[in-house]
Amino acid sequence: MKIALPLIVALTTAAPVMAQDTIINPAQSITVDLGIGANYKPTYQGSDDQDTSAWFIFRNFSYSGRENAGRAFSLTPSLGYVGERDSGDDDRLEGMDKINRAYELGLKASWRAGATEGYVTARKGFGGHKGITGEFGTRYRIEASDQLTLWAGLEAGYGDDTYNETYFGVTATEARRSAYTEYQPSGGINMAGASLEARYELAPNTAVLGELKYSRIIGDAADSPLVMEENQPSVKLGIVRTLNFAF
């Protein structure tokens, strides 16, 4: 977290060279929120202990142009990051293989009807896992004031066989080294939850984000011997800069 303060200062005070804070009737433009914050969450998926880690924010990617003006449907990039997991994170992981950090790249399809948005994402993992994972859900926007916007949402997460085996499985070798029995979950929905997000505009193109989320591990993932607690609450707080690229 030592890098957090300089990055926050940079995001708050520095205008990116390639970005424009004000776009006047651009033919086409790309908008994205970039930032950093803190995430208080379980030490690993299924842990009954919690810890604070960095929250790298990449969200609200949107494209606008004459050909998609007014469309309710959009297709945008979806990026994900999963930190490494080893026995140093939690004593319950003693004897389990280390899982390196994973980067995820994919797409998000979303559609809007008034203040309601539905979405589904699919991402391929690289590094720590090589599976397919994503989420689908819906959320409702509440304009509480000129500066404060809230979103109340419901969401489910899923993973294929490779993803679920990586984070919820126990191999024969791991079973011999640890206190767990061998377990091989199948792919499918592994999480369901509800969330409340808030965005407070500090200044033009700069905002504070917060999220309260309650998730519950379900399906084959919940039967994993690694899951000490099915209920997985988390709290996020960060700051973002909205970047606009016109072309």
Side-chain angles (χ1 to χ4, degrees):
M1 295 297 291
K2 293 181 179 179
I3 63 172
L5 184 56
L7 282 175
I8 289 175
V9 172
L11 286 165
T12 308
T13 61
V17 174
M18 295 180 62
Q20 299 181 32
D21 284 349
T22 303
I23 304 298
I24 302 176
N25 298 322
Q28 299 178 96
S29 66
I30 291 174
T31 302
V32 64
D33 282 346
L34 294 177
I36 193 169
N39 185 5
Y40 183 68
K41 62 181 181 57
T43 54
Y44 70 90
Q45 295 183 68
S47 175
D48 57 358
D49 194 12
Q50 294 189 308
D51 195 9
T52 302
S53 60
W55 178 28
F56 299 103
I57 307 169
F58 176 94
R59 58 169 53 190
N60 298 331
F61 184 101
S62 64
Y63 165 77
S64 63
R66 294 188 182 96
E67 68 276 12
N68 72 338
R71 287 187 180 180
F73 175 81
S74 64
L75 191 64
T76 56
S78 177
L79 302 180
Y81 171 81
V82 185
E84 68 178 21
R85 192 191 80 178
D86 61 30
S87 58
D89 299 327
D90 195 303
D91 292 341
R92 306 279 174 66
L93 297 173
E94 188 67 37
M96 299 297 295
D97 290 339
K98 176 181 177 179
I99 302 174
N100 294 324
R101 59 178 60 90
Y103 304 92
E104 300 169 350
L105 176 63
L107 294 173
K108 175 182 179 180
S110 58
W111 52 97
R112 294 181 177 82
T116 302
E117 177 191 23
Y119 60 90
V120 59
T121 67
R123 297 183 300 275
K124 175 71 171 67
F126 301 91
H129 82 85
K130 295 177 175 59
I132 302 294
T133 185
E135 306 84 27
F136 59 92
T138 184
R139 62 180 193 165
Y140 183 79
R141 186 182 72 251
I142 304 166
E143 300 291 350
S145 70
D146 291 341
Q147 292 176 288
L148 178 63
T149 304
L150 305 174
W151 289 269
L154 297 173
E155 183 177 84
Y158 68 89
D160 66 0
D161 292 356
T162 301
Y163 179 90
N164 283 351
E165 287 173 9
T166 300
Y167 293 103
F168 300 103
V170 180
T171 66
T173 301
E174 290 173 327
R176 288 192 293 269
R177 294 196 308 248
S178 70
Y180 305 116
T181 56
E182 185 178 353
Y183 184 68
Q184 187 174 4
S186 60
I189 296 175
N190 53 33
M191 179 277 292
S195 64
L196 179 63
E197 299 179 42
R199 179 189 181 99
Y200 186 81
E201 301 291 341
L202 293 175
N205 301 314
T206 303
V208 171
L209 297 184
E211 177 188 273
L212 297 175
K213 187 173 185 179
Y214 165 81
S215 300
R216 184 174 176 85
I217 298 174
I218 60 176
D220 277 9
D223 294 330
S224 169
L226 292 170
V227 175
M228 304 298 162
E229 175 58 65
E230 295 178 359
N231 300 314
Q232 302 279 282
S234 64
V235 180
K236 295 179 180 178
L237 183 64
I239 188 167
V240 295
R241 183 79 171 172
T242 301
L243 307 182
N244 297 305
F245 301 90
F247 54 94

